[in-house]
Amino acid sequence: MKRILLSFIAIAIATLSSFGQSPEGFKYQAVIRDAGNLILTNQAVGMQLTIQQGSIGGTAVYTEAFSPTSNAFGLVNLEIGTGMSTDDFTIIDWANGPYFMETAVDITGGMTYEVMGTSQLMSVPYALYAKTSGNGEGPQGPTGAAGAVGAQGPAGENGNDGVPGPQGLQGPAGADSTVPGPTGPAGADSTVPGPAGADGINGQDGIDGAQGIQGPAGENGINGPDGITGAQGPQGLTGPAGTNGIDGIDGDDGTQGSTGLTGPAGANGNDGAAGATGLQGPIGLTGPAGANGTNGNDGATGSDGQDGDDGITGQSAYDVWISLGNTGSEADFISSLTGPQGNDGVVDYDSLANIISVDSSFTANVSGSIGGGCDFSFPEGLDGEVITSAADHNIGYTVPSGKKLYILNYTSVPASTQYGILINGINIGINPNSTLILNPGDVLNAFNGSAYVSFNGYLTDSSPTITSITNEANQNIGYTVPSGKKLYVLAHAPSTLQILINGLSIGYAPNDPLILNPGDVLSSINSNADVRFNGYLADENYFANCGGGSSNSASNATIDSLSQVVSTLDSTLTALTSLFVFGCMDPAAFNYNSSANINDGSCNFIPSIGDTYQGGIIFYLDGNGGGLIAAPSNQSSGASEWGCIGTSIGTGTAIGSGFQNTAMIELGCATPNTAADVCANLTLGGYNDWFLPSRYELVEMHQNIGQGNALGLGNIGGFANNYYWSSSEAFGGSSTAWIKYFGITTSGVNSWNKDELEYVRAIRVF
């Protein structure tokens, strides 16, 4: 209900005649205003008045209700004691006070009342007590003899005064009007004077007089002559500082100009004629201010004092060295300042754990570059304003101008409904298991009118390099990726419809994101059903080398730090170099799955997905001759926790961030034998630079060498039908991290409590 401002105008009790019947009630008048201080005219309202005994909030001795309509001035006129009530007004014992009246109002005219205030009933209502206690005068004297007037009886004692009530709140000023308020009703005939009427409208104030002219400012003093510049001493090596010269005397300040005379005050305006008694009229307008007087001139600036003489040039460091009894040239002096060369430190780089604990420069490099890598779900990072909001079918949420909205998760309310979510009218399905991106001005709605969706995410500054897209396509009309752009699909629906890329089916529910090149066509396998998707368009080279152009998420600091570490591992670097010239070495020393890829004719090994290589199985290629290798077996079979529950490490999810994540977990988590700790301290196949994969590195591992992989290689990694830990935290990171199910399904990426026990598979870079 709107907040009502109730202006109490008058509370008056009907006067009681010494010889007449007293009315059972008293008058009540009020002005109804809304929260904006506007008078509600001709408005039907509901009112409930309660008389309380003893104190505010005391015993309610009488309650009644009214349904009045305010008049053209917003007034309502009531008579207390005549409303709708189940109480008996006549049995109130007015002598047993004090009494207070609570006022409650419903602006809609109903009975959902809101208490507006409580005030004490003053002495007037106690006149009702007078009808049973007498008229306040003494008994009448006996009638004198016939023809003679009897003596006047003595006057009765005055009754005690009632307790003064608190001062009522000052009502707001009435609306501006030139029409005088109506005259209040005349009181009933009585020997008791009625209340005085309200004052009439005040006349307008007279115009203020003009501001007097300000006198001129005094002239500035004459500048003093500059001091004489001392002769330039000979230049040499810097010696001790010479003594400062004495400051010159400051010039005198100019004389302050006199203040101008104040102009005469304007004549006061005539008082307006007294208005008729009635409601308080509006306050008159303030007259215009008089003009400011002219500023006086500034005084003249005083002259500067003379500069002091320069100090004596001190001896050079070389001169001081000679004065101490040394002999030789300046070169000999400089040479004497250089100490002997210290011994080089020795660092044990046998394992990632040793690197982290010993090499402070490595720690500084890694800890300062969290969040890098090719994180396709967050191409502009997550640096923005956190938002949690909701939208229904009819009233949606509109992304503000200049912002992009990243939705991390959402749900239908009530949760049992589980309706789809609409972006610009396109239904992208129920609970898409990925990030959604919306452009400025995009509108988010619930699919069904009987529910609404609540969501959580980030509002980031909009960048022209990334364009969010929500679209649909079927078998006949596909979506073609524009020239010069790549399409990154983050969410799609429905899960029961096969998706085609350039006519090839990639399944019913492929893992997100899907990445399409310029000119690629996205469509569905059914001409009567549309595939609906949400994602973004980026320039072709946006994620080149995971540098990402201007993208916040595209830092290559992680790869640089890793390269620096590998360069210090002499034995590992030697083995790596040898393997790249495998065609020039003894093939019996190494084991590969595909002999056709061993040599390209130039003594260079050509790696392929599924090859046994450098202590494990290749499952990812970066396009530059390198990639990622998975250990050939599990490092933990459901016996390792992620660790550090309640602590956010700040890890990333992108391909290329697993090594950095593992290093940061080792630095920031004291929990022993965590999944990351197991990998960081692993030595396997002659290599000790293993680490726990990130979320999307884990997804690549499952897609390429796990069960049901797209390459048809079979479960060559020997993975269990169970969940494996990633090194990536989920949803803020303090309590949960991402896991991946390695069964036959292509989905199964979930967030999991950090203290759960799951499988672990280590990886390394080649």
Side-chain angles (χ1 to χ4, degrees):
M1 186 175 78
K2 290 183 179 178
R3 185 69 177 171
I4 306 301
L5 300 178
L6 191 62
S7 302
F8 296 98
I9 300 302
I11 300 177
I13 198 163
T15 58
L16 301 175
S17 169
S18 298
F19 304 99
Q21 177 64 39
S22 298
E24 295 295 343
F26 55 90
K27 302 293 185 181
Y28 173 89
Q29 189 177 66
V31 172
I32 308 297
R33 298 175 183 268
D34 65 11
N37 202 27
L38 298 177
I39 294 176
L40 301 178
T41 62
N42 302 314
Q43 174 78 40
V45 297
M47 299 185 67
Q48 177 178 278
L49 303 173
T50 302
I51 297 176
Q52 301 170 345
Q53 184 179 18
S55 64
I56 294 176
T59 303
V61 299
Y62 182 76
T63 301
E64 63 181 342
F66 296 88
S67 299
T69 299
S70 62
N71 63 15
F73 299 97
L75 285 172
V76 293
N77 294 281
L78 309 176
E79 183 172 327
I80 309 303
T82 63
M84 295 179 292
S85 177
T86 59
D87 299 328
D88 188 350
F89 186 79
T90 63
I91 66 173
I92 299 175
D93 184 3
W94 297 105
N96 192 17
Y99 287 94
F100 299 81
M101 188 164 69
E102 176 189 271
T103 304
V105 177
D106 184 349
I107 190 176
T108 65
M111 294 186 293
T112 305
Y113 303 110
E114 182 176 357
V115 174
M116 308 310 299
T118 304
S119 60
Q120 184 176 358
L121 294 174
M122 304 303 290
S123 59
V124 174
Y126 293 97
L128 291 173
Y129 172 64
K131 70 178 183 178
T132 59
S133 63
N135 58 12
E137 299 179 358
Q140 186 172 347
T143 303
V149 178
Q152 177 69 37
E157 294 180 358
N158 291 331
N160 295 327
D161 293 336
V163 179
Q167 177 66 39
L169 298 175
Q170 176 66 40
D176 294 341
S177 173
T178 57
V179 180
T183 302
D189 293 338
S190 173
T191 59
V192 180
D199 294 337
I201 302 172
N202 292 331
Q204 294 185 351
D205 295 336
I207 299 173
D208 293 339
Q211 177 69 32
I213 299 173
Q214 184 172 344
E219 297 180 354
N220 294 328
I222 300 172
N223 293 334
D226 296 336
I228 299 173
T229 302
Q232 178 68 40
Q235 180 67 36
L237 296 177
T238 303
T243 305
N244 291 332
I246 301 173
D247 292 334
I249 301 173
D250 294 331
D252 297 329
D253 294 331
T255 304
Q256 177 67 39
S258 58
T259 303
L261 298 176
T262 302
N268 293 331
N270 297 327
D271 293 335
T277 300
L279 298 175
Q280 177 68 41
I283 298 173
L285 299 174
T286 302
N292 294 328
T294 305
N295 292 330
N297 297 326
D298 295 335
T301 302
S303 58
D304 294 335
Q306 294 182 347
D307 292 338
D309 296 332
D310 291 340
I312 300 172
T313 302
Q315 288 182 310
S316 69
Y318 172 67
D319 293 335
V320 173
W321 184 69
I322 292 296
S323 67
L324 294 176
N326 297 297
T327 58
S329 65
E330 289 188 7
D332 296 329
F333 163 67
I334 295 173
S335 177
S336 70
L337 300 178
T338 303
Q341 178 68 39
N343 295 327
D344 292 335
V346 178
V347 177
D348 178 10
Y349 289 105
D350 287 343
S351 68
L352 177 60
N354 287 335
I355 294 172
I356 293 169
S357 63
V358 176
D359 192 344
S360 60
S361 63
F362 166 74
T363 301
N365 289 334
V366 173
S367 62
S369 59
I370 280 185
C374 302
D375 197 340
F376 301 125
S377 294
F378 306 107
E380 295 178 301
L382 283 179
D383 184 14
E385 171 190 354
V386 176
I387 180 173
T388 300
S389 188
D392 63 17
H393 183 68
N394 298 316
I395 303 176
Y397 174 84
T398 302
V399 181
S401 176
K403 297 289 185 181
K404 274 194 176 73
L405 172 62
Y406 283 73
I407 298 179
L408 303 182
N409 55 74
Y410 87 97
T411 187
S412 299
V413 179
S416 59
T417 57
Q418 292 301 301
Y419 288 115
I421 187 172
L422 302 181
I423 299 178
N424 299 330
I426 296 178
N427 180 6
I428 62 162
I430 299 172
N431 293 331
N433 189 25
S434 188
T435 304
L436 302 177
I437 307 181
L438 281 72
N439 284 320
D442 283 353
V443 180
L444 177 73
N445 294 91
F447 178 76
N448 190 281
S450 63
Y452 68 91
V453 292
S454 58
F455 62 90
N456 172 265
Y458 276 83
L459 280 174
T460 66
D461 291 337
S462 179
S463 168
T465 60
I466 296 295
T467 303
S468 174
I469 182 171
T470 302
N471 213 322
E472 53 191 354
N474 59 35
Q475 188 181 51
N476 298 323
I477 303 176
Y479 176 82
T480 303
V481 181
S483 175
K485 298 289 184 180
K486 283 186 179 180
L487 171 64
Y488 298 81
V489 177
L490 300 181
H492 55 271
S495 60
T496 57
L497 186 66
Q498 292 190 50
I499 297 175
L500 305 181
I501 297 179
N502 298 330
L504 296 177
S505 172
I506 59 170
Y508 290 94
N511 281 329
D512 299 315
L514 303 176
I515 305 177
L516 284 73
N517 286 315
D520 283 353
V521 179
L522 177 70
S523 59
S524 74
I525 201 169
N526 192 326
S527 61
N528 297 320
D530 293 334
V531 57
R532 306 176 296 273
F533 63 91
N534 171 268
Y536 60 92
L537 292 170
D539 292 340
E540 284 186 274
N541 62 349
Y542 186 76
F543 288 106
N545 298 321
C546 294
S550 61
S551 171
N552 291 338
S553 67
S555 170
N556 60 4
T558 302
I559 302 302
D560 288 344
S561 299
L562 182 58
S563 299
Q564 293 164 8
V565 175
V566 172
S567 68
T568 64
L569 304 175
D570 294 338
S571 60
T572 302
L573 186 59
T574 301
L576 183 64
T577 304
S578 299
L579 287 171
F580 273 100
V581 292
F582 173 79
C584 303
M585 297 178 64
D586 180 9
F590 302 95
N591 180 22
Y592 297 94
N593 287 340
S594 177
S595 59
N597 291 330
I598 291 177
N599 197 322
D600 66 353
S602 59
C603 291
N604 290 324
F605 168 68
I606 303 175
S608 295
I609 300 295
D611 284 351
T612 299
Y613 186 51
Q614 291 191 7
I617 305 169
I618 297 176
F619 70 90
Y620 173 78
L621 299 174
D622 62 11
N624 296 313
L628 297 173
I629 295 172
S633 59
N634 297 324
Q635 278 61 64
S636 173
S637 298
S640 296
E641 62 175 303
W642 202 95
C644 280
I645 190 165
T647 300
S648 178
I649 303 298
T651 57
T653 61
I655 294 175
S657 62
F659 182 89
Q660 174 182 296
N661 291 348
T662 303
M664 295 310 300
I665 296 169
E666 288 288 88
L667 286 171
C669 182
T671 306
N673 300 318
T674 62
D677 195 42
V678 169
C679 296
N681 290 284
L682 175 66
T683 298
L684 181 66
Y687 298 93
N688 48 28
D689 55 350
W690 300 92
F691 55 89
L692 187 64
S694 69
R695 172 183 174 177
Y696 286 109
E697 289 168 345
L698 200 63
V699 170
E700 286 288 323
M701 189 192 307
H702 178 255
Q703 286 181 335
N704 294 332
I705 63 172
Q707 299 187 63
N709 61 74
L711 302 178
L713 300 177
N715 187 16
I716 61 175
F719 297 99
N721 291 326
N722 219 310
Y723 287 98
Y724 284 76
W725 277 123
S726 79
S727 60
S728 304
E729 293 167 304
F731 306 127
S734 63
S735 299
T736 58
W738 292 110
I739 59 174
K740 177 72 175 74
Y741 185 68
F742 267 68
I744 194 67
T745 177
T746 58
S747 60
V749 178
N750 302 93
S751 61
W752 215 245
N753 289 336
K754 288 181 173 181
D755 57 358
E756 297 288 341
L757 301 179
E758 301 299 342
Y759 281 65
V760 174
R761 181 67 66 96
I763 67 173
R764 59 179 301 273
V765 174
F766 76 95

